[in-house]
Amino acid sequence: NSLSVTVYSTNGKKESTKQGQLGDALLQATGLRAGQSVEVTFQPQLDSAPFKPQQAMLMAASKAHPGLAAYSVAKAGKDGSHVASLGTATIEKQLGSLGGELELSLLLGDPAAALGLSGSLGSVLLPEASTGAAAPKPKLLTAAHQPVNNLKPNIAHIFRSPDKRAPAVVSLAFAGLAVAPLGLLVLYLGMLGCNLQGFPSGAAGLWALLFHGGIAAMLGLYLLFWLRLNLAQTLALALGLACFMALTGYKALGALSAARVAEAKVAAVAVKKLN
């Protein structure tokens, strides 16, 4: 509702102070010499209660060069008041050696006000640049002065050419050599003749079948790893199969041991009867 605009001299002393409301032209082309500054003090209110907006800044926009503007972020005090100061040094840092009339505006932004709030405070007059350049070159380009597209040039990546690989026939030949021992083992077992008479029966036979099934599944997992799976997927599946094989192997050995103990007891009872 109310604010004050103070002009400070080069030595930091107050030269003038004017009070009014947002939208009042408190400064009428007030001249600023090198080293002088303008300070705006205000206390935002929402529903007649003080509040702290998320964004509050003072803008000095050039009238002669649209799109060029200098900004100063307001600082909040403990009592809820906000202070924004903009001096000639800050303006020169952002806009370069720019002279002429600058319009001062107060900008407020907060989710409570969807469209924000802005109002003019008047204007200040800077001495013309000594160079007399019609279009000054700012040292710090503001968002309004950036190129329209603001696109960065594309980066052309240069990748190292891949190493020369052996022909597919060589790879297949070595893969066949890796599998050859398994084929030789199968042929050798066939020549010896398969003897399944010693394979356990009953519960031990069931656990033994599950254990050998786990071994076959592990070999199939190795084949899948070679064809399509990566190492992380293979390790997770191999861990599950290893736990399954450990459990079934333990159960199979336990069942065989229990069967042997039972046979030994039967034999001992038979010997006692004969005696």
Side-chain angles (χ1 to χ4, degrees), residues 33-79:
R33 300 181 302 277
Q36 286 189 293
S37 62
V38 177
E39 183 180 275
V40 179
T41 304
F42 59 97
Q43 186 169 9
Q45 292 185 353
L46 180 64
D47 296 334
S48 301
F51 88 109
K52 181 180 179 181
Q54 289 189 359
Q55 293 180 340
M57 62 184 66
L58 180 64
M59 178 181 70
S62 174
K63 289 186 176 182
H65 305 284
L68 290 181
Y71 298 89
S72 174
V73 178
K75 297 181 180 180
K78 294 182 180 180
D79 57 349

mmCIF file of all heavy atoms in Angstrom, residues 33-79:
data_model
loop_
_atom_site.group_PDB
_atom_site.id
_atom_site.type_symbol
_atom_site.label_atom_id
_atom_site.label_comp_id
_atom_site.label_asym_id
_atom_site.label_seq_id
_atom_site.Cartn_x
_atom_site.Cartn_y
_atom_site.Cartn_z
ATOM 1 N N ARG A 33 24.131 10.763 -10.980
ATOM 2 C CA ARG A 33 25.523 10.871 -11.366
ATOM 3 C C ARG A 33 26.254 9.584 -11.021
ATOM 4 O O ARG A 33 25.715 8.695 -10.364
ATOM 5 C CB ARG A 33 26.164 12.070 -10.655
ATOM 6 C CG ARG A 33 25.508 13.412 -10.976
ATOM 7 C CD ARG A 33 26.207 14.559 -10.252
ATOM 8 N NE ARG A 33 26.214 14.359 -8.803
ATOM 9 C CZ ARG A 33 25.193 14.687 -8.011
ATOM 10 N NH1 ARG A 33 24.097 15.237 -8.522
ATOM 11 N NH2 ARG A 33 25.275 14.508 -6.717
ATOM 12 N N ALA A 34 27.463 9.475 -11.459
ATOM 13 C CA ALA A 34 28.258 8.272 -11.194
ATOM 14 C C ALA A 34 28.420 8.074 -9.690
ATOM 15 O O ALA A 34 28.804 9.011 -8.969
ATOM 16 C CB ALA A 34 29.618 8.384 -11.869
ATOM 17 N N GLY A 35 28.115 6.896 -9.206
ATOM 18 C CA GLY A 35 28.233 6.570 -7.790
ATOM 19 C C GLY A 35 26.957 6.728 -7.012
ATOM 20 O O GLY A 35 26.893 6.317 -5.842
ATOM 21 N N GLN A 36 25.927 7.351 -7.602
ATOM 22 C CA GLN A 36 24.665 7.503 -6.896
ATOM 23 C C GLN A 36 23.822 6.237 -7.042
ATOM 24 O O GLN A 36 24.066 5.382 -7.905
ATOM 25 C CB GLN A 36 23.887 8.703 -7.450
ATOM 26 C CG GLN A 36 24.440 10.047 -7.026
ATOM 27 C CD GLN A 36 23.514 11.177 -7.405
ATOM 28 O OE1 GLN A 36 23.311 11.462 -8.592
ATOM 29 N NE2 GLN A 36 22.943 11.828 -6.401
ATOM 30 N N SER A 37 22.782 6.132 -6.179
ATOM 31 C CA SER A 37 21.921 4.954 -6.189
ATOM 32 C C SER A 37 20.510 5.334 -5.761
ATOM 33 O O SER A 37 20.297 6.390 -5.159
ATOM 34 C CB SER A 37 22.465 3.862 -5.260
ATOM 35 O OG SER A 37 22.503 4.324 -3.918
ATOM 36 N N VAL A 38 19.574 4.450 -6.094
ATOM 37 C CA VAL A 38 18.172 4.606 -5.719
ATOM 38 C C VAL A 38 17.783 3.408 -4.858
ATOM 39 O O VAL A 38 18.064 2.260 -5.210
ATOM 40 C CB VAL A 38 17.263 4.689 -6.965
ATOM 41 C CG1 VAL A 38 15.807 4.774 -6.557
ATOM 42 C CG2 VAL A 38 17.651 5.871 -7.814
ATOM 43 N N GLU A 39 17.123 3.674 -3.741
ATOM 44 C CA GLU A 39 16.701 2.617 -2.824
ATOM 45 C C GLU A 39 15.188 2.689 -2.639
ATOM 46 O O GLU A 39 14.650 3.763 -2.365
ATOM 47 C CB GLU A 39 17.419 2.743 -1.484
ATOM 48 C CG GLU A 39 17.075 1.637 -0.497
ATOM 49 C CD GLU A 39 17.811 1.807 0.817
ATOM 50 O OE1 GLU A 39 18.972 1.355 0.907
ATOM 51 O OE2 GLU A 39 17.223 2.422 1.741
ATOM 52 N N VAL A 40 14.528 1.547 -2.791
ATOM 53 C CA VAL A 40 13.071 1.465 -2.642
ATOM 54 C C VAL A 40 12.777 0.588 -1.433
ATOM 55 O O VAL A 40 13.243 -0.544 -1.349
ATOM 56 C CB VAL A 40 12.412 0.873 -3.905
ATOM 57 C CG1 VAL A 40 10.900 0.784 -3.720
ATOM 58 C CG2 VAL A 40 12.745 1.715 -5.122
ATOM 59 N N THR A 41 12.016 1.113 -0.506
ATOM 60 C CA THR A 41 11.610 0.381 0.696
ATOM 61 C C THR A 41 10.096 0.188 0.653
ATOM 62 O O THR A 41 9.347 1.163 0.485
ATOM 63 C CB THR A 41 12.015 1.140 1.968
ATOM 64 O OG1 THR A 41 13.428 1.382 1.939
ATOM 65 C CG2 THR A 41 11.666 0.335 3.204
ATOM 66 N N PHE A 42 9.653 -1.052 0.839
ATOM 67 C CA PHE A 42 8.216 -1.342 0.781
ATOM 68 C C PHE A 42 7.919 -2.539 1.670
ATOM 69 O O PHE A 42 8.827 -3.301 2.052
ATOM 70 C CB PHE A 42 7.784 -1.623 -0.670
ATOM 71 C CG PHE A 42 8.504 -2.781 -1.302
ATOM 72 C CD1 PHE A 42 7.948 -4.049 -1.338
ATOM 73 C CD2 PHE A 42 9.762 -2.590 -1.867
ATOM 74 C CE1 PHE A 42 8.627 -5.105 -1.917
ATOM 75 C CE2 PHE A 42 10.439 -3.653 -2.456
ATOM 76 C CZ PHE A 42 9.867 -4.913 -2.475
ATOM 77 N N GLN A 43 6.650 -2.689 2.022
ATOM 78 C CA GLN A 43 6.201 -3.804 2.856
ATOM 79 C C GLN A 43 4.986 -4.451 2.179
ATOM 80 O O GLN A 43 3.871 -3.919 2.253
ATOM 81 C CB GLN A 43 5.835 -3.348 4.264
ATOM 82 C CG GLN A 43 5.514 -4.520 5.201
ATOM 83 C CD GLN A 43 5.413 -4.060 6.654
ATOM 84 O OE1 GLN A 43 5.423 -2.883 6.930
ATOM 85 N NE2 GLN A 43 5.321 -5.015 7.570
ATOM 86 N N PRO A 44 5.177 -5.604 1.499
ATOM 87 C CA PRO A 44 4.054 -6.254 0.805
ATOM 88 C C PRO A 44 2.992 -6.721 1.801
ATOM 89 O O PRO A 44 3.309 -7.150 2.924
ATOM 90 C CB PRO A 44 4.711 -7.436 0.090
ATOM 91 C CG PRO A 44 6.177 -7.143 0.094
ATOM 92 C CD PRO A 44 6.427 -6.335 1.321
ATOM 93 N N GLN A 45 1.760 -6.664 1.381
ATOM 94 C CA GLN A 45 0.641 -7.106 2.209
ATOM 95 C C GLN A 45 -0.298 -7.963 1.377
ATOM 96 O O GLN A 45 -0.506 -7.709 0.179
ATOM 97 C CB GLN A 45 -0.123 -5.910 2.787
ATOM 98 C CG GLN A 45 0.657 -5.109 3.817
ATOM 99 C CD GLN A 45 -0.174 -4.015 4.442
ATOM 100 O OE1 GLN A 45 -1.304 -3.757 4.035
ATOM 101 N NE2 GLN A 45 0.379 -3.342 5.448
ATOM 102 N N LEU A 46 -0.846 -8.959 2.031
ATOM 103 C CA LEU A 46 -1.843 -9.834 1.415
ATOM 104 C C LEU A 46 -3.031 -9.926 2.351
ATOM 105 O O LEU A 46 -2.889 -10.393 3.488
ATOM 106 C CB LEU A 46 -1.250 -11.230 1.161
ATOM 107 C CG LEU A 46 -2.183 -12.253 0.507
ATOM 108 C CD1 LEU A 46 -2.574 -11.798 -0.888
ATOM 109 C CD2 LEU A 46 -1.519 -13.630 0.453
ATOM 110 N N ASP A 47 -4.193 -9.481 1.890
ATOM 111 C CA ASP A 47 -5.397 -9.442 2.731
ATOM 112 C C ASP A 47 -5.144 -8.628 3.993
ATOM 113 O O ASP A 47 -5.472 -9.055 5.114
ATOM 114 C CB ASP A 47 -5.871 -10.855 3.083
ATOM 115 C CG ASP A 47 -6.300 -11.630 1.845
ATOM 116 O OD1 ASP A 47 -6.698 -10.997 0.852
ATOM 117 O OD2 ASP A 47 -6.199 -12.874 1.865
ATOM 118 N N SER A 48 -4.511 -7.465 3.808
ATOM 119 C CA SER A 48 -4.206 -6.523 4.895
ATOM 120 C C SER A 48 -3.253 -7.089 5.935
ATOM 121 O O SER A 48 -3.196 -6.603 7.064
ATOM 122 C CB SER A 48 -5.508 -6.078 5.593
ATOM 123 O OG SER A 48 -6.380 -5.467 4.652
ATOM 124 N N ALA A 49 -2.496 -8.140 5.562
ATOM 125 C CA ALA A 49 -1.523 -8.722 6.482
ATOM 126 C C ALA A 49 -0.176 -8.805 5.771
ATOM 127 O O ALA A 49 -0.110 -9.122 4.577
ATOM 128 C CB ALA A 49 -1.962 -10.114 6.931
ATOM 129 N N PRO A 50 0.914 -8.503 6.468
ATOM 130 C CA PRO A 50 2.236 -8.563 5.825
ATOM 131 C C PRO A 50 2.552 -9.980 5.357
ATOM 132 O O PRO A 50 2.217 -10.963 6.020
ATOM 133 C CB PRO A 50 3.194 -8.107 6.933
ATOM 134 C CG PRO A 50 2.335 -7.372 7.912
ATOM 135 C CD PRO A 50 0.993 -8.036 7.861
ATOM 136 N N PHE A 51 3.195 -10.095 4.216
ATOM 137 C CA PHE A 51 3.628 -11.406 3.736
ATOM 138 C C PHE A 51 4.913 -11.220 2.934
ATOM 139 O O PHE A 51 5.277 -10.113 2.517
ATOM 140 C CB PHE A 51 2.524 -12.061 2.887
ATOM 141 C CG PHE A 51 2.564 -11.702 1.430
ATOM 142 C CD1 PHE A 51 2.951 -12.621 0.471
ATOM 143 C CD2 PHE A 51 2.205 -10.422 1.013
ATOM 144 C CE1 PHE A 51 2.977 -12.287 -0.859
ATOM 145 C CE2 PHE A 51 2.217 -10.091 -0.325
ATOM 146 C CZ PHE A 51 2.609 -11.025 -1.271
ATOM 147 N N LYS A 52 5.614 -12.333 2.711
ATOM 148 C CA LYS A 52 6.890 -12.320 2.020
ATOM 149 C C LYS A 52 6.733 -12.987 0.663
ATOM 150 O O LYS A 52 6.570 -14.202 0.577
ATOM 151 C CB LYS A 52 7.954 -13.048 2.847
ATOM 152 C CG LYS A 52 9.335 -13.054 2.209
ATOM 153 C CD LYS A 52 10.327 -13.792 3.093
ATOM 154 C CE LYS A 52 11.708 -13.819 2.435
ATOM 155 N NZ LYS A 52 12.683 -14.562 3.273
ATOM 156 N N PRO A 53 6.770 -12.228 -0.431
ATOM 157 C CA PRO A 53 6.640 -12.840 -1.765
ATOM 158 C C PRO A 53 7.881 -13.654 -2.107
ATOM 159 O O PRO A 53 8.975 -13.412 -1.581
ATOM 160 C CB PRO A 53 6.483 -11.635 -2.689
ATOM 161 C CG PRO A 53 7.155 -10.519 -1.964
ATOM 162 C CD PRO A 53 6.928 -10.771 -0.502
ATOM 163 N N GLN A 54 7.686 -14.628 -2.991
ATOM 164 C CA GLN A 54 8.817 -15.457 -3.387
ATOM 165 C C GLN A 54 9.820 -14.673 -4.229
ATOM 166 O O GLN A 54 11.026 -14.931 -4.164
ATOM 167 C CB GLN A 54 8.322 -16.684 -4.167
ATOM 168 C CG GLN A 54 7.608 -17.708 -3.307
ATOM 169 C CD GLN A 54 7.335 -18.982 -4.065
ATOM 170 O OE1 GLN A 54 7.646 -19.115 -5.238
ATOM 171 N NE2 GLN A 54 6.729 -19.952 -3.389
ATOM 172 N N GLN A 55 9.323 -13.719 -5.002
ATOM 173 C CA GLN A 55 10.212 -12.915 -5.835
ATOM 174 C C GLN A 55 9.849 -11.445 -5.689
ATOM 175 O O GLN A 55 8.670 -11.081 -5.754
ATOM 176 C CB GLN A 55 10.108 -13.322 -7.309
ATOM 177 C CG GLN A 55 10.636 -14.714 -7.597
ATOM 178 C CD GLN A 55 10.518 -15.071 -9.062
ATOM 179 O OE1 GLN A 55 9.739 -14.473 -9.798
ATOM 180 N NE2 GLN A 55 11.301 -16.046 -9.506
ATOM 181 N N ALA A 56 10.860 -10.625 -5.492
ATOM 182 C CA ALA A 56 10.671 -9.178 -5.402
ATOM 183 C C ALA A 56 11.933 -8.517 -5.922
ATOM 184 O O ALA A 56 13.032 -8.807 -5.429
ATOM 185 C CB ALA A 56 10.386 -8.749 -3.966
ATOM 186 N N MET A 57 11.783 -7.699 -6.932
ATOM 187 C CA MET A 57 12.956 -7.057 -7.506
ATOM 188 C C MET A 57 12.596 -5.699 -8.088
ATOM 189 O O MET A 57 11.432 -5.420 -8.386
ATOM 190 C CB MET A 57 13.584 -7.956 -8.585
ATOM 191 C CG MET A 57 12.685 -8.255 -9.765
ATOM 192 S SD MET A 57 13.484 -9.414 -10.921
ATOM 193 C CE MET A 57 13.583 -10.880 -9.915
ATOM 194 N N LEU A 58 13.647 -4.874 -8.242
ATOM 195 C CA LEU A 58 13.537 -3.553 -8.832
ATOM 196 C C LEU A 58 14.147 -3.602 -10.224
ATOM 197 O O LEU A 58 15.268 -4.101 -10.406
ATOM 198 C CB LEU A 58 14.256 -2.527 -7.953
ATOM 199 C CG LEU A 58 14.235 -1.074 -8.425
ATOM 200 C CD1 LEU A 58 12.822 -0.521 -8.441
ATOM 201 C CD2 LEU A 58 15.145 -0.219 -7.524
ATOM 202 N N MET A 59 13.427 -3.106 -11.221
ATOM 203 C CA MET A 59 13.880 -3.154 -12.605
ATOM 204 C C MET A 59 14.039 -1.732 -13.136
ATOM 205 O O MET A 59 13.185 -0.875 -12.910
ATOM 206 C CB MET A 59 12.886 -3.923 -13.472
ATOM 207 C CG MET A 59 13.268 -3.990 -14.952
ATOM 208 S SD MET A 59 12.068 -4.884 -15.974
ATOM 209 C CE MET A 59 10.692 -3.724 -15.950
ATOM 210 N N ALA A 60 15.135 -1.528 -13.836
ATOM 211 C CA ALA A 60 15.384 -0.255 -14.522
ATOM 212 C C ALA A 60 15.512 -0.555 -16.008
ATOM 213 O O ALA A 60 16.525 -1.101 -16.460
ATOM 214 C CB ALA A 60 16.654 0.411 -13.994
ATOM 215 N N ALA A 61 14.457 -0.221 -16.782
ATOM 216 C CA ALA A 61 14.401 -0.545 -18.206
ATOM 217 C C ALA A 61 14.679 0.696 -19.034
ATOM 218 O O ALA A 61 14.159 1.789 -18.746
ATOM 219 C CB ALA A 61 13.035 -1.126 -18.570
ATOM 220 N N SER A 62 15.509 0.507 -20.069
ATOM 221 C CA SER A 62 15.847 1.624 -20.942
ATOM 222 C C SER A 62 14.675 1.952 -21.864
ATOM 223 O O SER A 62 14.086 1.066 -22.483
ATOM 224 C CB SER A 62 17.085 1.269 -21.775
ATOM 225 O OG SER A 62 17.342 2.273 -22.730
ATOM 226 N N LYS A 63 14.349 3.231 -21.952
ATOM 227 C CA LYS A 63 13.283 3.658 -22.860
ATOM 228 C C LYS A 63 13.781 3.782 -24.294
ATOM 229 O O LYS A 63 13.030 3.558 -25.241
ATOM 230 C CB LYS A 63 12.708 4.996 -22.392
ATOM 231 C CG LYS A 63 11.889 4.910 -21.119
ATOM 232 C CD LYS A 63 11.230 6.230 -20.804
ATOM 233 C CE LYS A 63 10.320 6.136 -19.581
ATOM 234 N NZ LYS A 63 9.622 7.405 -19.289
ATOM 235 N N ALA A 64 15.056 4.112 -24.448
ATOM 236 C CA ALA A 64 15.605 4.291 -25.783
ATOM 237 C C ALA A 64 15.973 2.960 -26.437
ATOM 238 O O ALA A 64 15.998 2.862 -27.662
ATOM 239 C CB ALA A 64 16.831 5.197 -25.737
ATOM 240 N N HIS A 65 16.259 1.947 -25.636
ATOM 241 C CA HIS A 65 16.674 0.642 -26.158
ATOM 242 C C HIS A 65 15.778 -0.436 -25.544
ATOM 243 O O HIS A 65 16.098 -0.988 -24.486
ATOM 244 C CB HIS A 65 18.144 0.372 -25.825
ATOM 245 C CG HIS A 65 19.074 1.440 -26.303
ATOM 246 N ND1 HIS A 65 19.454 1.585 -27.617
ATOM 247 C CD2 HIS A 65 19.689 2.447 -25.625
ATOM 248 C CE1 HIS A 65 20.267 2.613 -27.736
ATOM 249 N NE2 HIS A 65 20.431 3.152 -26.538
ATOM 250 N N PRO A 66 14.648 -0.725 -26.145
ATOM 251 C CA PRO A 66 13.735 -1.749 -25.585
ATOM 252 C C PRO A 66 14.439 -3.100 -25.487
ATOM 253 O O PRO A 66 15.176 -3.512 -26.377
ATOM 254 C CB PRO A 66 12.590 -1.784 -26.595
ATOM 255 C CG PRO A 66 12.646 -0.466 -27.304
ATOM 256 C CD PRO A 66 14.090 -0.101 -27.352
ATOM 257 N N GLY A 67 14.164 -3.783 -24.399
ATOM 258 C CA GLY A 67 14.775 -5.088 -24.174
ATOM 259 C C GLY A 67 15.954 -5.052 -23.245
ATOM 260 O O GLY A 67 16.378 -6.092 -22.740
ATOM 261 N N LEU A 68 16.519 -3.863 -23.019
ATOM 262 C CA LEU A 68 17.635 -3.735 -22.089
ATOM 263 C C LEU A 68 17.106 -3.299 -20.735
ATOM 264 O O LEU A 68 16.393 -2.297 -20.632
ATOM 265 C CB LEU A 68 18.648 -2.723 -22.611
ATOM 266 C CG LEU A 68 19.470 -3.132 -23.845
ATOM 267 C CD1 LEU A 68 20.438 -2.027 -24.216
ATOM 268 C CD2 LEU A 68 20.226 -4.417 -23.574
ATOM 269 N N ALA A 69 17.465 -4.065 -19.702
ATOM 270 C CA ALA A 69 16.988 -3.743 -18.354
ATOM 271 C C ALA A 69 17.986 -4.260 -17.337
ATOM 272 O O ALA A 69 18.633 -5.293 -17.541
ATOM 273 C CB ALA A 69 15.612 -4.353 -18.101
ATOM 274 N N ALA A 70 18.109 -3.535 -16.245
ATOM 275 C CA ALA A 70 18.940 -3.939 -15.116
ATOM 276 C C ALA A 70 18.024 -4.306 -13.951
ATOM 277 O O ALA A 70 16.957 -3.715 -13.782
ATOM 278 C CB ALA A 70 19.890 -2.810 -14.716
ATOM 279 N N TYR A 71 18.460 -5.270 -13.151
ATOM 280 C CA TYR A 71 17.623 -5.792 -12.072
ATOM 281 C C TYR A 71 18.386 -5.774 -10.757
ATOM 282 O O TYR A 71 19.617 -5.915 -10.725
ATOM 283 C CB TYR A 71 17.170 -7.225 -12.368
ATOM 284 C CG TYR A 71 16.316 -7.358 -13.607
ATOM 285 C CD1 TYR A 71 16.897 -7.583 -14.850
ATOM 286 C CD2 TYR A 71 14.929 -7.264 -13.543
ATOM 287 C CE1 TYR A 71 16.124 -7.703 -15.994
ATOM 288 C CE2 TYR A 71 14.149 -7.396 -14.676
ATOM 289 C CZ TYR A 71 14.754 -7.604 -15.902
ATOM 290 O OH TYR A 71 13.980 -7.733 -17.021
ATOM 291 N N SER A 72 17.619 -5.631 -9.681
ATOM 292 C CA SER A 72 18.164 -5.721 -8.331
ATOM 293 C C SER A 72 17.159 -6.472 -7.466
ATOM 294 O O SER A 72 15.989 -6.078 -7.386
ATOM 295 C CB SER A 72 18.437 -4.330 -7.755
ATOM 296 O OG SER A 72 18.835 -4.420 -6.396
ATOM 297 N N VAL A 73 17.582 -7.567 -6.833
ATOM 298 C CA VAL A 73 16.697 -8.381 -6.003
ATOM 299 C C VAL A 73 16.514 -7.720 -4.642
ATOM 300 O O VAL A 73 17.488 -7.274 -4.019
ATOM 301 C CB VAL A 73 17.265 -9.801 -5.838
ATOM 302 C CG1 VAL A 73 16.366 -10.643 -4.937
ATOM 303 C CG2 VAL A 73 17.443 -10.460 -7.200
ATOM 304 N N ALA A 74 15.274 -7.641 -4.201
ATOM 305 C CA ALA A 74 14.971 -7.020 -2.915
ATOM 306 C C ALA A 74 15.309 -7.974 -1.773
ATOM 307 O O ALA A 74 15.135 -9.186 -1.894
ATOM 308 C CB ALA A 74 13.497 -6.628 -2.849
ATOM 309 N N LYS A 75 15.792 -7.402 -0.680
ATOM 310 C CA LYS A 75 16.129 -8.177 0.513
ATOM 311 C C LYS A 75 15.079 -7.923 1.589
ATOM 312 O O LYS A 75 14.666 -6.786 1.812
ATOM 313 C CB LYS A 75 17.511 -7.789 1.034
ATOM 314 C CG LYS A 75 18.635 -8.086 0.041
ATOM 315 C CD LYS A 75 19.984 -7.693 0.617
ATOM 316 C CE LYS A 75 21.105 -7.990 -0.377
ATOM 317 N NZ LYS A 75 22.435 -7.602 0.172
ATOM 318 N N ALA A 76 14.649 -9.028 2.242
ATOM 319 C CA ALA A 76 13.611 -8.930 3.267
ATOM 320 C C ALA A 76 14.243 -8.667 4.626
ATOM 321 O O ALA A 76 15.262 -9.261 4.984
ATOM 322 C CB ALA A 76 12.788 -10.211 3.311
ATOM 323 N N GLY A 77 13.622 -7.777 5.389
ATOM 324 C CA GLY A 77 14.070 -7.485 6.733
ATOM 325 C C GLY A 77 13.297 -8.276 7.774
ATOM 326 O O GLY A 77 12.319 -8.964 7.474
ATOM 327 N N LYS A 78 13.724 -8.185 9.014
ATOM 328 C CA LYS A 78 13.064 -8.930 10.090
ATOM 329 C C LYS A 78 11.659 -8.409 10.371
ATOM 330 O O LYS A 78 10.793 -9.164 10.829
ATOM 331 C CB LYS A 78 13.908 -8.845 11.363
ATOM 332 C CG LYS A 78 15.254 -9.552 11.251
ATOM 333 C CD LYS A 78 16.018 -9.485 12.555
ATOM 334 C CE LYS A 78 17.363 -10.201 12.449
ATOM 335 N NZ LYS A 78 18.130 -10.144 13.726
ATOM 336 N N ASP A 79 11.422 -7.131 10.107
ATOM 337 C CA ASP A 79 10.111 -6.548 10.387
ATOM 338 C C ASP A 79 9.127 -6.749 9.237
ATOM 339 O O ASP A 79 8.006 -6.221 9.273
ATOM 340 C CB ASP A 79 10.253 -5.057 10.694
ATOM 341 C CG ASP A 79 10.938 -4.303 9.552
ATOM 342 O OD1 ASP A 79 11.478 -4.962 8.645
ATOM 343 O OD2 ASP A 79 10.936 -3.052 9.592
#
